[in-house]
Amino acid sequence: MHALIPQPHSIEPAPGAFALTADTSITVSPATPAVTAVAEYLAARLRPATGFALPIQPAEAAAGPALALALDPAGDVLGAEGYALTVAPDGARLSAHAPAGLFYGVQTLRQLLPPAIENATPLPGQGPLPGPWPLPAGRIRDVPRFAWRGLMLDVARHFFPVADVRRVIDLAAAYKINRLHLHLSDDQGWRIDIASWPELARVGGQTAVGGGPGGYYTQADYAALVAYAAARHITIVPEIDLPGHTNAALAAYPQLNADGRPRPPYTGIEVGFSSLAIDNELTYRFIDDVIGELAALTPGDYLHIGGDEALATAKEDYIRFIERVAAIVRAHGKRMVGWEEIGQARLEPSAIAQHWASGHATAAAAQGASVILSPAPRVYLDMKYDAATPLGLAWAGHISVRAAYDWEPATQLAGVAEAQLLGVEAALWSETLTTLADIEFMLFPRLPGVAEVGWSAAGRDWETYRARLAAHGPRLGAMGVNFYRAAEIDWSP
Ligand code: TNX
């Protein structure tokens, strides 16, 4: 009955069901813009498949069966993201302390309905009540384990247009992911227009792995993505990768190179050969301008400065560089995130280190910084599922659906206690990925598992997860997701 992903904190099933019908309304209490926005989002998910009007009304004004959304200011045991959902035969009530909780409750509600709820048009020949749109009765209370449940998308190695990123946001939101980290620059491409350094996008944006056409987001595109994500309670975390992974910038601006000569564009997939000029004052003006513009466009708290694989930068230079960049990020009012290599530098406790493949995150945590877990052998979803996977890399091994799911954050890094873990983030690098279909194939069905690692309480179990995931096959199908029918999962109905 309840094949939910991520698994909620507690579920108490009860007999019966509440069926959505042409008479159902969605009520809001209080009828504020934030609550109404969640109601509109819910209605937009349910109307296409049901064909029902699902009018949105203030709770006081409504009569008849309803999906009731209520903000309960006293219910702060549910925190900033938790929710409680009670379904009885005469109605359903979703309550939360904050709008994000309502939004996550709505994702649960979607999954309680039959998979056909994700169809784009109504089904012919709907049967008698209580079908075909029953919500099983019961009570669910739910709160996330971690505050940071992220997905990183590499739009630098290959560029993905705004519509593709919107689709990724929609799919991630369905699994209660709340951060989208955009890897906006790398050796092969610069993907965000910076008004004070226009050649970054105009020149640095024209390349991609394999020599394709590239592309970039205008500031208006980026702002629209930020707003689209925010409406789904997802914070965009922009990354400008520094001081390595900078060939696209070094190709666009000769003066950024110590020798004043432009670097040739790069369309291969090697890493670790480029570096900004650490002793060049212009480097820091450049960074201040870029981070300043990006910070102004980004309402979220975080700015990611990369910092990984700076193999062409001497260690002492790297440390000096990161400490200077940290001051720039702080001056623009943002919290610095970096790949775990930043743990080699002196960090403020507000810094966030993203673990991927080394012990540097432990050094960051020892300085009081927070840690995001992206262990490559678990959540680098650009790794092949197995030897037969047509897309993806394999340097961190093959990542089965089980491998992405069946690991425990608290014991992942020796010396990093759970209190210092901000959460988990799946990463999708795009050296081998060129289309939305490719992205979906690598994310699904592994991303829901990583989402559950981030949301659900410790003590998860692969066998029960595997059964729940199998039940999501038709749901992903109805959503039109190009997912990998991994043999580990019994997809037969
Ligand atoms: C390592 S992870 C990288 C990326 C590559 C990725 C491919 C990290 C911080 N750096 O530059 O795209 O592997 O899997």
Side-chain angles (χ1 to χ4, degrees):
M1 277 292 238
H2 289 96
L4 299 169
I5 300 175
Q7 176 71 15
H9 195 263
S10 73
I11 304 178
E12 296 164 33
F18 169 58
L20 302 189
T21 69
D23 298 328
T24 306
S25 63
I26 298 175
T27 69
V28 288
S29 159
T32 55
V35 180
T36 305
V38 178
E40 298 280 6
Y41 172 92
L42 172 60
R45 303 282 81 67
L46 304 183
R47 283 173 186 150
T50 63
F52 300 153
L54 298 166
I56 296 165
Q57 301 169 337
E60 317 79 73
L67 291 171
L69 308 190
L71 264 199
D72 177 4
D76 60 352
V77 286
L78 295 170
E81 299 190 306
Y83 65 92
L85 175 63
T86 306
V87 180
D90 59 348
R93 180 186 160 86
L94 172 61
S95 63
H97 182 58
L102 290 179
F103 185 80
Y104 299 127
V106 159
Q107 303 312 327
T108 296
L109 221 152
R110 285 171 77 181
Q111 293 187 12
L112 288 174
L113 287 161
I117 196 66
E118 302 297 341
N119 289 350
T121 53
L123 289 175
Q126 295 174 358
L129 295 180
W133 307 117
L135 282 165
R139 186 170 158 75
I140 295 174
R141 289 180 65 81
D142 203 5
V143 286
R145 178 179 182 184
F146 292 111
W148 187 294
R149 304 174 304 277
L151 168 63
M152 188 217 74
L153 181 63
D154 174 7
V155 296
R157 270 51 177 272
H158 284 101
F159 177 69
F160 298 96
V162 167
D164 292 359
V165 181
R166 276 203 236 111
R167 164 78 167 176
V168 168
I169 289 170
D170 283 333
L171 294 175
Y175 293 96
K176 303 184 174 75
I177 281 170
N178 67 353
R179 304 279 184 266
L180 179 68
H181 165 183
L182 289 176
H183 184 73
L184 288 169
S185 69
D186 213 301
D187 291 317
Q188 300 88 346
W190 185 283
R191 307 300 181 204
I192 175 79
D193 189 27
I194 299 295
S196 54
W197 294 75
E199 305 298 309
L200 290 170
R202 236 70 86 226
V203 175
Q206 301 313 308
T207 44
V209 166
Y216 63 87
Y217 306 119
T218 65
Q219 295 201 355
D221 288 339
Y222 178 82
L225 277 177
V226 165
Y228 192 86
R232 286 148 187 80
H233 295 274
I234 290 178
T235 301
I236 298 280
V237 180
E239 177 188 354
I240 297 296
D241 203 346
L242 308 167
H245 291 277
T246 43
N247 191 75
L250 298 171
Y253 282 100
Q255 61 269 42
L256 287 177
N257 296 285
D259 60 12
R261 301 219 304 268
R263 294 296 173 264
Y266 184 70
T267 60
I269 66 165
E270 295 304 315
V271 297
F273 61 87
S274 57
S275 180
L276 289 169
I278 304 299
D279 290 316
N280 192 345
E281 275 312 298
L282 185 66
T283 293
Y284 302 95
R285 248 174 49 213
F286 163 75
I287 293 172
D288 188 58
D289 289 342
V290 169
I291 287 182
E293 288 191 38
L294 209 44
L297 287 167
T298 304
D301 289 339
Y302 313 101
L303 217 141
H304 201 305
I305 56 102
D308 59 311
E309 298 173 321
L311 308 179
T313 318
K315 184 176 172 183
E316 286 65 35
D317 288 351
Y318 176 83
I319 290 171
R320 221 162 19 98
F321 175 85
I322 295 296
E323 291 173 2
R324 253 186 106 166
V325 172
I328 294 172
V329 173
R330 189 186 332 113
H332 289 288
K334 296 298 177 189
R335 197 168 163 190
M336 183 175 84
V337 191
W339 296 104
E340 68 188 322
E341 285 94 324
I342 64 167
Q344 299 169 98
R346 240 176 321 136
L347 298 178
E348 302 203 351
S350 64
I352 300 167
Q354 185 167 10
H355 164 67
W356 62 285
S358 76
H360 292 311
T362 306
Q367 302 186 60
S370 305
V371 171
I372 300 167
L373 294 178
S374 299
R378 298 291 184 177
V379 303
Y380 266 32
L381 301 186
D382 59 311
M383 294 302 122
K384 293 175 182 291
Y385 290 88
D386 54 45
T389 310
L391 304 166
L393 302 174
W395 69 262
H398 295 150
I399 302 182
S400 62
V401 177
R402 179 170 188 164
Y405 175 80
D406 205 0
W407 61 284
E408 167 47 45
T411 53
Q412 182 66 29
L413 278 181
V416 181
E418 180 153 354
Q420 267 180 293
L421 292 179
L422 211 47
V424 304
E425 183 172 298
L428 191 66
W429 301 96
S430 64
E431 286 93 333
T432 66
L433 314 178
T434 56
T435 65
L436 178 60
D438 292 350
I439 290 176
E440 291 184 0
F441 187 81
M442 299 309 271
L443 290 183
F444 290 91
R446 292 182 292 193
L447 182 64
V450 183
E452 178 155 312
V453 173
W455 180 281
S456 304
R460 293 169 292 104
D461 168 65
W462 162 249
E463 285 305 327
T464 64
Y465 175 71
R466 189 171 161 267
R468 283 181 286 122
L469 183 57
H472 274 243
R475 194 170 296 279
L476 292 170
M479 294 165 98
V481 176
N482 177 40
F483 69 100
Y484 174 53
R485 271 78 173 167
E488 302 158 82
I489 309 299
D490 178 8
W491 301 107
S492 62

